[in-house]
Every structure is written in C-alpha cells, then in structure tokens.
Amino acid sequence: MIHLKLPNEIAKLRSAAELVGKTLGEVAKYVRPGITTFELDQIAEDYILSHNARPAFKGYPGPHPDHPFPGSLCLSVNEVVVHGIPNDYVLQEGDILSVDCGAELDGFFGDFAYTFAIGEITPDKKALLKVTAESLYEGIDRARAGNRVGDIGYSVQQYCESRGFGVVKELVGHGVGRALHEDPQIPNHGKRGDGKKLREGLTICIEPMINAGTEKVCFMEDGWTVKTEDGKAAAHYEHMVCVRKGVPEIISMWDYIEEVVTPPYK
C-alpha cells in the first residue's frame, strides 16, 4: 500500500534525513586509506545512538531469517554494488566506497547513500561516479505528480546505458516513511508512462546502482553482499525525494559530507 505523507510527516522525514546526513558527514571525516570498514561502522553507530535514534539497518531481516544485517552501515568497496558488511578490510588508495546509512528517529526513517573516492582514483572510476550521480538527478527530475514510476527508471537507464555503463536490474529504490521500505518499488530501468502513477506527498528513495561493466551481479553466500559479475567497480548514490506537482523536493542532503570532502563526481 502506498502512503502519501502529510506536511507534519514530511517534516519528521526531514529530521531523520538530517540525522543521516550528519552521520555521513561524521563518517566522511575518517574515510581515508588505512581505516577499516568496521571502524567506520562503529563511528556511525555511536553517532546515531548518541542522537536518540536507532540504526535502521542493524538487525534488518534478510533472505536468511537467522542472518539479519550485522552492521549499522552498508559499506561496499569497488566491485561490491550494495549491502557490503562491515569487516576488517582496510581501505586502500584508489578504492571507491559506497556508504549507505539509515536511521529511525521519532518513528520515521532516513535512508540515503554516497560513494566516496579513497585518495586518488582512476579516470574510469571517476567517470563511473560522475555518471551515477548525474543519473540520480535525472531520475529525481521525473519525480513529479502525474508522471509514473517508469519515467524515473527510464531516465536513469537511458542516461547510464547511453554512456556505456551497466544498470543493475535486480535491485531497486523504494518508498520511505514510517517503514524503511515502503511501496512502491523504484527501479532504475523502465518504460516511459509505465508503472504506478506518482502523486503529491509520495516520499521515495531513488538510488541508481550502476556498474562500470556488465549489468549482471552475483549474490554472495552471506545473503547480503552483491558484487558485479565481471569484478569491475560499481557506484551507488541515493536521495530521499518528495513528489510534488512541480519541482520535486529532495529531503536528504549531502551538504554535511561535502563540507568535509570534495565531491568525487564533479
């Protein structure tokens, strides 16, 4: 069921999103060669808990009922597309790292992602980040009342595939509100005029997951980690968006991150 949000609910979503943004800004201070993804996870968890909120991902049920997600962040390095589990991997110069963060505050969820460059990255990786971030804004521009879900996916898909990148089909964006994942699903591919109609007050997460090579992915035995089939890098950017009759409203923010790091996609 699709839940359209009232103004007071959107205000609470903004507050949850702001906490996620501040958490990612705090993590950004430590994203560098030599730190482990587990250490970054602990920084985020401590920050969220210290602000009277709950890490939304920790303990989230997965495909295996006895293996809920163990971390507060999804930390996905290089060929890991999404859902990377925090571990003892030490970040290296030239890596790219997708950090996906979720938090529940006052009964509402914030959820968005940012891909970081670790030191200097190759031109190919920089191009991947640039196209992925730009495709996100292409999708956001279609999140207008009267359009359909397929219009968002079509714009992301065409933007990326026309530039030689693979668009992951098995993973999607989603609605967000009182639950971390609500209807409707928001694929990064589709047909114009297809899918559910977008209505004002719908709040969604648009999140292109884009591969440098093939669109095909592999699901690891841990039940969470998703990697590119060819081992090439993947990028992931995500915003929370409220559908409006005119210009869509981006609820989430990267400002706190980009006060710390230079945007790697520019």
Side-chain angles (χ1 to χ4, degrees), residues 3-20 48 51-57 101-112 174-182 201-205 240 251:
H3 300 282
L4 303 180
K5 308 303 187 297
L6 298 172
N8 67 308
E9 294 175 308
I10 294 170
K12 289 188 174 184
L13 279 169
R14 284 196 203 97
S15 295
E18 184 171 23
L19 176 57
V20 170
I48 293 169
H51 287 76
N52 299 313
R54 179 181 70 84
F57 298 166
C101 180
E104 181 185 10
L105 177 67
D106 195 22
F108 286 81
F109 286 86
D111 172 20
F112 53 98
H174 52 88
V176 65
R178 291 182 183 272
L180 180 60
H181 297 113
E182 296 183 350
L202 176 65
T203 51
I204 56 177
C205 290
M240 297 167 62
I251 299 172

Side-chain angles (χ1 to χ4, degrees), residues 20 24 57 74 81-82 97-102 110-116 136 205-209 235-240 252-254 257:
V20 170
L24 290 171
F57 298 166
C74 295
V81 183
V82 287
L97 171 70
S98 167
V99 182
D100 194 355
C101 180
D111 172 20
F112 53 98
Y114 192 91
T115 300
F116 292 85
L136 170 59
C205 290
I206 302 175
E207 49 180 316
M209 291 157 274
H236 176 212
Y237 286 104
E238 177 180 11
H239 267 313
M240 297 167 62
S252 51
M253 68 293 294
W254 293 345
I257 302 168

Side-chain angles (χ1 to χ4, degrees), residues 171-248:
L171 304 163
V172 297
H174 52 88
V176 65
R178 291 182 183 272
L180 180 60
H181 297 113
E182 296 183 350
D183 289 333
Q185 293 187 347
I186 310 293
N188 294 305
H189 62 99
K191 297 179 180 179
R192 286 175 175 162
D194 195 21
K196 295 184 183 295
K197 183 174 285 190
L198 303 174
R199 297 172 61 192
E200 184 158 17
L202 176 65
T203 51
I204 56 177
C205 290
I206 302 175
E207 49 180 316
M209 291 157 274
I210 308 301
N211 299 343
T214 179
E215 66 183 42
K216 296 181 180 179
V217 296
C218 302
F219 292 79
M220 300 295 99
E221 291 183 1
D222 60 27
W224 288 105
T225 308
V226 183
K227 294 184 177 181
T228 60
E229 187 177 90
D230 59 9
K232 293 184 178 180
H236 176 212
Y237 286 104
E238 177 180 11
H239 267 313
M240 297 167 62
V241 179
C242 183
V243 173
R244 297 299 190 190
K245 290 180 180 177
V247 177

